[in-house]
Amino acid sequence: MPTILYRNDQNISPGDVMKIAVYAEHVGRQCYDVFAEDGSRSRSETLSRRAQAVSDSLNFGNEPYFPPETTKKVLDLRTMVSGMCFDRFGERGHMGKSMDLLGMAQDVDDVLDKLVIYHLSPEELEEAEADWAHEGQFRPTDDISGDTDSRPKV
């Protein structure tokens, strides 16, 4: 599991805080994580509490700052939602994540990039590189060299 370091110089804007607030509000009202065999769905107490805890801990001032406790709450909510939480439901039990939720999740990831630094152990780094190489096989290439690695070159 990666080590997470919290940044002191966060460079957070009020708009960043609003992105987190909108995400927590959407999750607290639209996402479900408990599904019964009869097709009914509900929101677990844990999901509700985590969304509310994030909302309650946000600083909407002109110069916002995320203390490590708030950042951890955002990380915990994002982790839970990225798993078995859905906000879109179709016929025959189809569950999915809406484009709105996916967009909000990307916004949250962008804000979290300003708040935390992930350090991987050598084993985790090796595993991540192997996953990247495997996933890279499925990315289209734009040049004729066949280079599928879309990461910036150093």
Side-chain angles (χ1 to χ4, degrees):
M1 180 161 203
T3 302
I4 299 174
L5 301 176
Y6 299 96
R7 294 180 191 245
N8 291 324
D9 181 19
Q10 298 177 339
N11 194 24
I12 298 297
S13 70
D16 292 330
V17 176
M18 187 55 70
K19 289 175 184 177
I20 301 290
V22 168
Y23 178 74
E25 179 74 16
H26 181 84
V27 168
R29 292 182 185 254
Q30 303 293 323
C31 292
Y32 298 91
D33 63 337
V34 177
F35 308 98
E37 288 185 25
D38 67 0
S40 65
R41 59 186 179 256
S42 62
R43 193 170 300 108
S44 69
E45 184 64 30
T46 303
L47 180 61
S48 295
R49 273 196 323 266
R50 285 186 181 175
Q52 189 62 50
V54 167
S55 293
D56 291 346
S57 65
L58 294 176
N59 171 0
F60 289 96
N62 289 335
E63 296 182 29
Y65 178 79
F66 279 78
E69 300 81 27
T70 299
T71 303
K72 178 152 180 25
K73 290 174 186 177
V74 174
L75 285 165
D76 289 345
L77 180 62
R78 189 208 54 184
T79 299
M80 187 170 195
V81 172
S82 68
M84 292 298 292
C85 285
F86 302 100
D87 68 339
R88 186 167 171 225
F89 304 93
E91 296 176 16
R92 292 176 276 174
H94 170 54
M95 299 179 289
K97 293 180 184 353
S98 69
M99 291 305 291
D100 287 341
L101 180 59
L102 294 173
M104 286 183 258
Q106 183 58 56
D107 288 344
V108 168
D109 286 345
D110 293 343
V111 174
L112 285 170
D113 284 344
K114 298 177 182 182
L115 300 173
V116 298
I117 300 170
Y118 297 97
H119 283 281
L120 301 175
S121 69
E123 295 82 19
E124 290 169 327
L125 186 57
E126 184 178 312
E127 184 177 327
E129 288 292 331
D131 287 346
W132 185 269
H134 174 74
E135 292 297 322
Q137 296 174 25
F138 306 106
R139 298 194 190 280
T141 61
D142 291 337
D143 63 6
I144 57 173
S145 70
D147 184 10
T148 60
D149 191 353
S150 61
R151 295 178 294 174
K153 307 275 189 276
V154 179

